[in-house]
Amino acid sequence: MKNIVWLLAMIVSGVRFVEAQGPPITADKPIMLGSGSYTVNSLIEIRHTEMGDFSYVPIMLDYILTPNTSVAIQFPYIKYDIKNGASGSSLADIKIIGKYQFFRKDGTGKTFRMVAKTLQTLPTGKELDVMELSTGKYAGYYGIVAGYESLKYGISNELGYNWVPDGSLDALTHKIGLGLPLLKPQYPNKQVNLYFEYTNTWLVERDWYQLLYAQGIQYARKNVTFDLAVQVPLVNDMDADRKLKYSLFLGSRYSF
């Protein structure tokens, strides 16, 4: 019951504060570039847990088909060192992402948008039983992402469900990412952004719950960005040998 209360509290907070900005680091955003544009990005995660240590290196190509639709494919590599277990490196689970923007309202220096999102995880990785990295099992994620961006601040808000038919990793997930630009708007684009991001995950079959907080900073220059974030658990209601210690994120993005 306490897991549901935490989750509902964060969802209500996201609705109250849906007046903010910025492309988040550990969350997602509904803002799309012009049709026909590409983005190549990578968000490396170095995850330290009671189970072991994992280094996850994904390369993703995102293509905007139309002003309202996008598709992306992610090829990830993982290096793992499990306590009292195996160690090595291999291809992780390949992911295919699709988005459809079904609502958009623009104003002077601001915009609010909503997209439907699906993320299909292919079972190409080893069965390490590591959430979001390498499970070796098919999963289908379905969610809604809402975001508001202005010249002063912004927020992204995502709610979705990850369905794993051949496993016990079904999860209800809610994310909020708040962005605060530190420099005045300028052209060509040059910006330093701070990010404050929360991730709620409830594994319904295992009755595990996590509330994670990520503090991040981003440097943007023209069509290139660089990201750095540290994520720590605020609530870690999981089996003792599976709890997260912390994750370090290093990212970059190039659009053309």
Side-chain angles (χ1 to χ4, degrees):
M1 183 65 185
K2 63 180 179 180
N3 297 340
I4 298 175
V5 172
W6 270 101
L7 193 60
L8 289 177
M10 293 302 294
I11 291 172
V12 171
S13 296
V15 174
R16 277 182 57 195
F17 294 108
V18 82
E19 295 181 357
Q21 147 158 1
I25 298 174
T26 62
D28 202 353
K29 63 184 180 71
I31 309 301
M32 297 184 185
L33 302 176
S35 58
S37 61
Y38 292 88
T39 298
V40 178
N41 67 67
S42 178
L43 184 63
I44 298 170
E45 179 182 359
I46 302 171
R47 184 184 297 185
H48 296 280
T49 73
E50 296 294 345
M51 177 184 177
D53 300 326
F54 306 89
S55 298
Y56 182 74
V57 184
I59 301 296
M60 186 170 77
L61 177 64
D62 191 347
Y63 177 61
I64 310 298
L65 290 169
T66 72
N68 296 328
T69 57
S70 72
V71 293
I73 185 167
Q74 178 176 286
F75 296 97
Y77 164 88
I78 189 169
K79 182 178 180 182
Y80 54 93
D81 184 8
I82 300 174
K83 293 180 180 178
N84 303 316
S87 62
S89 59
S90 68
L91 177 70
D93 298 327
I94 293 174
K95 298 177 181 180
I96 300 173
I97 304 103
K99 294 180 184 177
Y100 174 71
Q101 180 180 276
F102 61 88
F103 181 83
R104 174 174 178 173
K105 184 176 182 180
D106 296 331
T108 303
K110 59 186 179 180
T111 183
F112 175 72
R113 307 184 192 188
M114 299 181 70
V115 303
K117 172 184 174 181
T118 181
L119 189 154
Q120 302 296 308
T121 300
L122 307 181
T124 55
K126 289 185 174 294
E127 294 190 27
L128 301 179
D129 198 40
V130 182
M131 290 186 299
E132 300 177 335
L133 302 189
S134 187
T135 65
K137 298 182 183 298
Y138 165 78
Y141 172 86
Y142 308 93
I144 299 292
V145 184
Y148 178 93
E149 290 194 5
S150 71
L151 299 177
K152 295 181 179 180
Y153 47 83
I155 187 169
S156 68
N157 193 15
E158 179 175 354
L159 178 65
Y161 190 84
N162 192 49
W163 175 57
V164 186
D166 187 26
S168 58
L169 289 171
D170 282 26
L172 180 64
T173 301
H174 178 248
K175 297 182 178 182
I176 297 177
L178 297 104
L180 177 64
L182 300 183
L183 304 179
K184 293 182 178 180
Q186 54 189 291
Y187 184 83
N189 179 51
K190 182 181 179 182
Q191 188 56 262
V192 177
N193 303 309
L194 288 179
Y195 292 94
F196 312 86
E197 299 172 351
Y198 296 85
T199 299
N200 290 267
T201 304
W202 179 32
L203 278 77
V204 295
E205 294 180 67
R206 300 188 184 186
D207 197 25
W208 291 357
Y209 174 74
Q210 279 186 325
L211 171 59
L212 308 179
Y213 172 71
Q215 178 66 68
I217 187 169
Q218 180 186 85
Y219 173 74
R221 177 71 174 179
K222 297 182 179 179
N223 56 346
V224 179
T225 62
F226 298 96
D227 306 312
L228 173 64
V230 177
Q231 187 179 62
V232 296
L234 300 180
V235 179
N236 219 357
D237 189 9
M238 305 175 68
D239 287 354
D241 60 348
R242 301 301 300 274
K243 292 184 177 182
L244 175 71
K245 296 179 180 178
Y246 69 91
S247 285
L248 175 66
F249 291 90
L250 303 167
S252 62
R253 182 186 299 107
Y254 173 66
S255 300
F256 58 97

